[in-house]
Structures are given as C-alpha cells and as structure tokens.
C-alpha cells in the first residue's frame, strides 16, 4: 500500500515538474522573441545594448530550459510557433512607442514572470524540495535575472511611456493567458 502511495506522490510531482518546465520553456521562448522584436525596431538606438543584454539572458534561460525538457522528458507546448510570433509582435509593437514603450513592455512581462517563478518555487518547496533542489536553484536565479530586467525597465523610463497603465495591464493579461495555455497544451 505504501508503494502505491509513493507512486501516486511521484505522479503528482512529475505532473508539477512537467508543467513548470513546459511553461517556463515557452515563457523564455516568448521573452527572447519580445527582445528580438525590440531590437528590430530599436537596434540602432542608445538603449540597444541594454535590450541586447536582456535578450542574451533570455536566450541563456531558454537554452537551459531546452536542456531540462530533455533531462526530465517533458514535451514542449505545441503553442511555441504562436509564442514566437506573439513575442516578436509585442516587442516590435511596444518599441514603436519608443524606448520607454519597450521598457514598459519589459516591466509588464517581467513583473508577472518574477511572481510566476516565486509561485513555482513555493510549489516545489511544498512538494519535496530535496528532490527538486537543482530546479529550484535554477528558477531562483532566473527569477533574480527577471527582477533585474524589471528594475532596469523602470530605471529607463517605463512609467513615462504613452498609455503605460493600459499597456501594462493588457500585456499582463496576455501573459497570464499564455501561462495558463502553455501549462496545459
């Protein structure tokens, strides 16, 4: 009977880990394409080196989640092509409002991602932190990077962007929908 309970606990853990890795891979893919879109519009501006640096972080995160997909035998979301297009469009579109528009997009996305990563760490700690310590450490590091991107966006005038409140609310809502779908599909 205890073997049956252990199997059930392991199934629950596997489902949690699969969901986390799948959605985080999708999120890092989307984020890398947001920055690619920003670079397409602002690649020759004075803020381009900062955008490039943040994009490099996202690509590093993406590469790690691609490794984790294989390591944990997790299938990626089938929505990856959609997230690439949506990310690029969001990045380029927000950048058409200028550097502050791009930074407002960054703030909106990274605020949500930081909280999302915190929630994931909490779920893994409540489940069995010893089994998942490596993944917890990775997500904590990436959360710190995303928080830094958020703070850089604020420091570079995000709140002065046209339609800041409306834009960040819409972007946040879109990100929440993307998270919901990517966890499941």
């Amino acid at each position: 009977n205890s073997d049956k309970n252990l199997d059930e606990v392991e199934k629950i853990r596997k489902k949690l880990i699969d969901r986390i890795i799948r959605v985080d891979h999708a999120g890092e893919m989307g984020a890398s394409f947001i920055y690619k879109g920003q670079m397409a519009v602002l690649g020759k501006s004075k803020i381009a080196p900062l955008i490039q640096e943040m994009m490099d972080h996202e690509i590093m995160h993406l590469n790690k989640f691609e490794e984790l997909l294989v390591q944990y035998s997790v299938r990626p979301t089938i929505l990856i092509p959609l997230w690439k297009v949506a990310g690029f469009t969001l990045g380029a579109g927000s950048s058409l409002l200028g550097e502050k528009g791009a930074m407002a997009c960054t703030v909106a996305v990274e605020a949500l991602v930081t909280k999302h990563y915190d929630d994931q760490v909490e779920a893994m700690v409540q489940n069995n932190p010893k089994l998942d310590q490596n993944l917890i450490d990775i997500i904590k590091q990436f959360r710190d990077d995303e928080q830094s991107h958020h703070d850089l966006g604020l420091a570079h005038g995000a709140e002065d962007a046209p339609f800041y409140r409306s834009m960040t609310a819409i972007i946040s809502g879109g990100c929440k929908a993307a998270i919901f779908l990517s966890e499941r599909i």
Side-chain angles (χ1 to χ4, degrees), residues 42-68:
L42 298 171
K44 297 194 185 316
S45 71
K46 71 181 189 313
I47 204 160
L50 176 64
I51 295 170
Q52 182 66 53
E53 180 184 333
M54 291 188 287
M55 184 171 77
D56 291 345
H57 290 157
E58 302 301 348
I59 291 170
M60 182 194 71
H61 298 173
L62 174 61
N63 289 339
K64 185 59 180 178
F65 277 110
E66 287 183 345
E67 287 175 23
L68 293 171

Side-chain angles (χ1 to χ4, degrees), residues 53-170:
E53 180 184 333
M54 291 188 287
M55 184 171 77
D56 291 345
H57 290 157
E58 302 301 348
I59 291 170
M60 182 194 71
H61 298 173
L62 174 61
N63 289 339
K64 185 59 180 178
F65 277 110
E66 287 183 345
E67 287 175 23
L68 293 171
L69 285 172
V70 174
Q71 180 183 337
Y72 286 87
S73 302
V74 177
R75 67 159 181 78
T77 176
I78 62 171
L79 300 173
I80 288 293
L82 176 62
W83 301 151
K84 288 179 178 180
V85 172
F88 188 89
T89 302
L90 178 59
S94 63
S95 296
L96 292 174
L97 295 173
E99 294 176 8
K100 291 175 182 174
M103 292 299 101
C105 175
T106 295
V107 166
V109 171
E110 302 297 20
L112 190 83
V113 171
T114 300
K115 182 183 180 326
H116 179 69
Y117 277 164
D118 281 339
D119 293 345
Q120 289 178 337
V121 167
E122 186 178 324
M124 285 187 286
V125 166
Q126 287 177 359
N127 183 49
N128 189 340
K130 288 181 190 147
L131 288 175
D132 302 314
Q133 192 59 53
N134 181 51
L135 187 56
I136 290 169
D137 292 343
I138 290 166
I139 291 174
K140 281 182 174 179
Q141 175 59 54
F142 291 177
R143 181 222 33 228
D144 292 348
D145 292 345
E146 309 302 359
Q147 183 66 54
S148 173
H149 297 170
H150 171 273
D151 296 347
L152 286 166
L154 289 175
H156 286 85
E159 294 172 307
D160 297 327
F163 315 109
Y164 175 76
R165 290 201 188 287
S166 300
M167 188 166 85
T168 54
I170 291 166

Side-chain angles (χ1 to χ4, degrees), residues 21-39:
I21 293 172
R22 179 178 304 106
V23 74
D24 291 355
H25 172 259
E28 297 297 349
M29 180 70 72
S32 69
F33 274 81
I34 288 170
Y35 289 117
K36 287 177 185 182
Q38 290 179 349
M39 287 297 288

